[in-house]
Amino acid sequence: EDQVTQSPEALRLQEGESSSLNCSYTVSGLRGLFWYRQDPGKGPEFLFTLYSAGEEKEKERLKATLTKKESFLHITAPKPEDSATYLCAVASGGSYIPTFGRGTSLIVHP
Amino acid sequence: EAGVTQFPSHSVIEKGQTVTLRCDPISGHDNLYWYRRVMGKEIKFLLHFVKESKQDESGMPNNRFLAERTGGTYSTLKVQPAELEDSGVYFCASSHGRIEAFFGQGTRLTVV
């Protein structure tokens, strides 16, 4: 059974203070690792898909990386508007149905 | 382009009653998914439609849950009769291919 563990559960940063969120996973045959952003009262918003170890993707202040056991979401010089819950999910085997982690709640203080 | 729309946004019902949730996917998206998040837990997969056919319903908790997708367009998820443990946020998502799924804002269901 696929397992996804995200850490930390919550993270408070000052504006401009760079940091990383971790997603550790256990799957048999990774099809894809997904990062989503979720704002309060809204559904998850797709950010990235990573397919193989060594792959990296960037979007504005966010950069996602992938190894065979974990993924990191690096946030460079965050702004208050980056405050949200960040969800990691993996899909394996013959399906693209993702298994989600519980998320990391990020708060960026001005 | 309109996103995935879910109705209602909130629903409070009594135990034993019936509730029907609706999802309108993005036009042209053949894949439609239902998920649920129970408080304090992760988002869990319920089922997957490809057009009007159920591709995978392995996540449906029990036979009190019935999902349909009329003509490959909108979908409904009915819970009958509702139990306290059914409370949570129900998300719908749709995708054209299999990868980038777009989520609706969710329906918060509270069973009292």
Side-chain angles (χ1 to χ4, degrees):
Chain A
E1 184 178 319
D2 297 349
Q3 290 190 335
V4 179
T5 303
Q6 291 189 247
S7 61
E9 290 185 14
L11 181 62
R12 292 177 179 269
L13 299 174
Q14 288 298 126
E15 184 172 3
E17 179 187 2
S18 300
S19 188
S20 298
L21 313 182
N22 177 263
C23 172
S24 298
Y25 65 91
T26 304
V27 298
S28 56
L30 180 70
R31 298 282 283 190
L33 184 140
F34 313 94
W35 281 100
Y36 287 87
R37 169 191 170 127
Q38 186 174 18
D39 293 294
K42 297 191 175 182
E45 175 189 346
F46 175 82
L47 292 174
F48 305 109
T49 303
L50 302 169
Y51 294 98
S52 58
E55 189 174 0
E56 299 181 352
K57 288 193 177 174
E58 290 188 64
K59 180 180 179 179
E60 297 180 355
R61 294 177 293 282
L62 301 177
K63 179 180 177 180
T65 62
L66 180 66
T67 72
K68 289 186 178 180
K69 295 183 179 180
E70 58 191 349
S71 176
F72 291 95
L73 184 65
H74 306 279
I75 303 177
T76 301
K79 299 181 177 182
E81 53 262 43
D82 294 323
S83 297
T85 295
Y86 290 85
L87 300 168
C88 173
V90 296
S92 67
S95 169
Y96 284 104
I97 305 298
T99 297
F100 281 86
R102 296 193 181 186
T104 293
S105 174
L106 173 66
I107 297 176
V108 182
H109 296 284
Chain B
E1 178 183 280
V4 177
T5 308
Q6 294 186 242
F7 302 96
S9 56
H10 295 86
S11 180
V12 180
I13 62 171
E14 292 184 353
K15 176 182 173 181
Q17 289 186 323
T18 297
V19 63
T20 299
L21 314 181
R22 172 168 170 147
C23 169
D24 286 77
I26 293 172
S27 178
H29 282 192
D30 289 340
N31 295 283
L32 186 149
Y33 310 85
W34 283 99
Y35 296 89
R36 176 174 74 173
R37 184 168 196 167
V38 173
M39 186 179 294
K41 299 286 184 71
E42 62 274 18
I43 295 173
K44 289 276 196 181
F45 166 77
L46 295 178
L47 88 158
H48 171 210
F49 284 99
V50 177
K51 297 184 180 178
E52 67 274 9
S53 300
K54 292 177 185 175
Q55 185 77 12
D56 182 349
E57 50 184 329
S58 60
M60 294 287 264
N62 51 59
N63 59 9
R64 295 186 292 103
F65 289 75
L66 175 64
E68 295 180 327
R69 188 176 183 192
T70 304
T73 56
Y74 72 91
S75 175
T76 58
L77 179 64
K78 181 162 69 175
V79 184
Q80 180 182 28
E83 298 289 343
L84 299 179
E85 63 264 24
D86 300 333
S87 296
V89 182
Y90 290 77
F91 292 104
C92 174
S94 72
S95 69
H96 178 62
R98 287 278 192 113
I99 293 297
E100 185 176 319
F102 296 87
F103 280 75
Q105 83 282 8
T107 293
R108 180 173 296 278
L109 174 65
T110 303
V111 182
V112 297

